[in-house]
């Protein structure tokens, strides 16, 4: 735990460790739930352990905010065109009924972008303190025009502090690291809200989660052998693509992820607990990250002192923020690139609200998809103005 003020007792939920106990009176407890449902019918999931994923009984403190992100909820041709479908509405109904059976929660807003869905619930007693709820979405799928990949985002203000949640599904396949990185950059540059703060990374607290699709750089047989052995802890720190790309500063700069202690969440055999497909190597595709510091939150920024290859303007903390492609400043890119016409990702010298992870785990008993769901419980501190 981060400091004695937020100390808590430990218990077990799912396959990972979970912290339960007191948080400061100045905290907002947030639960993030993410699952690539592989187009499963929501009726087949309801009542079969769904509540334990959304808000398990006996875990305290109970969350004031619950944000649920789904991927591949509807990948039909109809969803490709309409983007909001009856299946998305069915998921909304099932999630609402299930969560309300665990406590007094209100659905504030939700959004579907083809296979992506995001659902914002809050404890009913907090509704009077939440305002400026808004949603946006960015497509990164076919020709950057379709929503088979992309992000749906929701933001709100709790009293005077702003929160943003990003549910993303990035490019698939083992070798497509650069495409995933480009998807990340596009989401950062194009996901804008209509009111201040506009940029998704400009908020006081930011969570980014979903099927990020980063894989493990090792043979399938070695991954399988490592699962259940003392070497499992090395899978992320030595072989995980996302861990390596973040460490190199290529994506999610300024973000952190709690320690992963469970087995890979993809590619699982449907209906079987602990089994993996023989056709794909297991991987930690499903992740939850949160912003922890200022600096350059967009991983596409280059080092200070670099110069634009067109106008030679130097890059500094408060001036030019340069995209990696061609090392052009935003003014010069703006003449040719649609993405660069948007405001650059902001610099936050003051950083983000301090956040304590109270738990980060999977839910291996929900076996209807080839992905296993994950969830995290977080206490965001310093949210009250008085």
């Amino acid at each position: 735990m981060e400091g004695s003020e937020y100390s808590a007792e430990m218990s077990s939920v799912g396959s990972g460790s979970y912290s339960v106990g007191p948080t400061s009176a100045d905290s907002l407890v947030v639960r993030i739930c993410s699952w690539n449902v592989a187009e499963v019918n929501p009726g087949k999931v309801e009542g079969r352990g769904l509540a334990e994923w959304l808000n398990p009984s006996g875990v305290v403190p109970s969350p004031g905010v619950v944000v649920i992100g789904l991927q591949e909820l509807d990948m039909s041709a109809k969803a490709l065109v309409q983007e909001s479908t009856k299946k998305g509405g069915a998921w909304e109904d099932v999630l609402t009924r299930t969560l309300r059976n665990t406590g007094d929660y209100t659905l504030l807003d939700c959004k579907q972008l083809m296979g992506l869905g995001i659902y914002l619930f809050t404890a009913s007693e907090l509704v009077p303190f939440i305002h400026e709820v808004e949603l946006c979405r960015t497509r990164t799928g076919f020709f950057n025009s379709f929503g088979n990949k992309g992000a749906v985002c929701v933001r709100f203000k709790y009293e005077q502090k702003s929160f943003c949640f990003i549910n993303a599904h990035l490019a698939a396949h083992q070798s497509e690291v650069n495409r995933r990185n480009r998807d990340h950059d596009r989401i950062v540059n194009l996901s804008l809200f209509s009111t201040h703060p506009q940029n998704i990374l400009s908020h006081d607290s930011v969570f980014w989660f979903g099927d990020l699709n980063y894989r493990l750089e090792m043979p399938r047989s070695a991954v399988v052998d490592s699962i259940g052995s003392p070497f499992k802890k090395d899978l992320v720190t030595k072989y995980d693509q996302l861990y390596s790309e973040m460490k190199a500063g290529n994506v999610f700069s300024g973000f952190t992820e709690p320690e992963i202690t469970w087995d890979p969440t993809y590619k699982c055999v449907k209906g079987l607990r602990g089994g993996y497909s023989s056709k794909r190597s297991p991987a930690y595709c499903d992740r939850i990250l949160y912003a922890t510091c200022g600096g350059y939150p967009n991983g596409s920024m280059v080092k200070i002192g670099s110069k634009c290859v067109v106008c030679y303007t130097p890059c500094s903390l408060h001036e030019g923020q340069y995209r990696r492609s061609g090392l052009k400043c935003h003014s010069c890119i703006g003449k040719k690139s649609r993405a660069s016409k948007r405001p650059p990702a902001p610099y936050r010298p003051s950083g983000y609200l301090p956040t304590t992870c109270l738990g980060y785990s999977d839910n291996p008993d929900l076996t209807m998809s080839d992905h296993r769901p994950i969830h995290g419980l977080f206490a965001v501190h310093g949210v009250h103005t008085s």
Side-chain angles (χ1 to χ4, degrees):
M1 303 304 294
E2 300 175 6
S4 59
E5 181 182 358
Y6 308 116
S7 61
E9 298 177 357
M10 302 300 293
S11 69
S12 177
V13 175
S15 304
S17 60
Y18 222 86
S19 303
V20 296
T23 58
S24 74
D26 197 25
S27 304
L28 178 65
V29 178
V30 176
R31 186 176 180 88
I32 307 290
C33 301
S34 177
W35 190 12
N36 183 323
V37 297
E39 296 191 273
V40 67
N41 188 318
K44 295 182 179 181
V45 179
E46 188 173 14
R48 299 180 60 187
L50 194 63
E52 289 300 303
W53 172 52
L54 297 179
N55 189 23
S57 59
V59 175
V60 293
S62 60
V65 172
V66 179
V67 182
I68 304 164
L70 302 181
Q71 306 88 42
E72 294 191 11
L73 67 86
D74 190 345
M75 303 297 286
S76 65
K78 186 175 182 179
L80 189 66
V81 177
Q82 293 185 351
E83 296 188 338
S84 295
T85 63
K86 289 183 179 180
K87 197 169 187 179
W91 268 107
E92 177 186 339
D93 293 340
V94 167
L95 294 173
T96 301
R97 281 196 302 268
T98 303
L99 193 57
R100 285 178 176 171
N101 286 336
T102 71
D104 186 11
Y105 288 95
T106 299
L107 176 64
L108 288 187
D109 215 338
C110 61
K111 189 77 168 180
Q112 182 184 354
L113 173 62
M114 194 177 171
L116 285 160
I118 194 164
Y119 308 84
L120 170 64
F121 293 87
T122 64
S124 296
E125 63 184 13
L126 298 184
V127 172
F129 305 99
I130 294 178
H131 54 102
E132 296 185 33
V133 179
E134 189 178 351
L135 298 127
C136 69
R137 58 190 181 184
T138 297
R139 303 170 183 84
T140 63
F142 306 125
F143 308 107
N144 287 329
S145 299
F146 293 97
N148 57 306
K149 295 293 189 292
V152 284
C153 316
V154 63
R155 57 80 67 90
F156 64 85
K157 284 189 176 180
Y158 176 64
E159 295 191 354
Q160 299 303 313
K161 301 298 183 181
S162 58
F163 291 76
C164 183
F165 301 87
I166 304 145
N167 173 30
H169 192 184
L170 306 185
H173 303 303
Q174 180 82 23
S175 61
E176 298 293 349
V177 177
N178 289 335
R179 282 189 60 193
R180 287 188 274 278
N181 292 356
R182 290 196 298 270
D183 285 353
H184 161 276
D185 291 353
R186 181 175 174 83
I187 292 167
V188 168
N189 286 322
L190 295 185
S191 300
L192 293 175
F193 298 105
S194 62
T195 58
H196 180 78
Q198 286 186 293
N199 190 283
I200 56 175
L201 301 184
S202 300
H203 296 72
D204 296 308
S205 179
V206 181
F207 290 87
W208 193 317
F209 51 93
D211 181 0
L212 305 186
N213 250 325
Y214 289 90
R215 310 302 171 93
L216 295 170
E217 291 287 2
M218 62 188 309
R220 182 188 181 280
S221 59
V223 176
V224 173
D225 290 342
S226 297
I227 297 172
S229 77
F231 299 103
K232 184 176 73 172
K233 66 181 187 307
D234 296 332
L235 288 178
V236 173
T237 57
K238 292 185 178 180
Y239 303 103
D240 181 68
Q241 293 175 345
L242 177 58
Y243 185 92
S244 298
E245 292 300 302
M246 290 177 66
K247 189 174 181 180
N250 294 331
V251 288
F252 298 106
S253 179
F255 280 79
T256 191
E257 179 182 23
E259 181 184 4
I260 292 177
T261 59
W262 64 87
D263 295 342
T265 55
Y266 174 85
K267 180 177 174 76
C268 304
V269 177
K270 294 181 181 180
L272 181 63
R273 195 183 194 277
Y276 292 96
S277 169
S278 60
K279 298 180 180 180
R280 299 285 177 87
S281 179
Y284 293 99
C285 292
D286 309 281
R287 315 290 276 267
I288 301 174
L289 314 174
Y290 59 96
T292 56
C293 64
Y296 289 107
N298 184 351
S300 67
M301 304 309 171
V302 299
K303 294 180 180 180
I304 301 170
S306 300
K307 293 184 178 181
C308 172
V309 296
V310 177
C311 67
Y312 301 102
T313 302
C315 176
S316 71
L317 285 177
H318 302 291
E319 294 178 1
Q321 294 182 341
Y322 295 175
R323 290 181 56 82
R324 183 182 299 105
S325 99
L327 297 184
K328 296 179 183 179
C329 68
H330 282 274
S331 296
C332 293
I333 287 184
K335 300 173 183 177
K336 299 181 180 180
S337 170
R338 174 188 173 192
S340 63
K341 294 179 181 178
R342 305 282 186 143
Y347 172 63
R348 286 187 63 90
S350 60
Y352 297 89
L353 291 175
T355 300
T356 302
C357 178
L358 304 177
Y360 189 35
S361 185
D362 66 341
N363 291 78
D365 292 329
L366 287 172
T367 62
M368 301 81 175
S369 167
D370 58 354
H371 289 251
R372 297 296 176 257
I374 62 171
H375 63 267
L377 190 70
F378 305 88
V380 183
H381 310 293
V383 299
H384 298 295
T385 55
S386 60

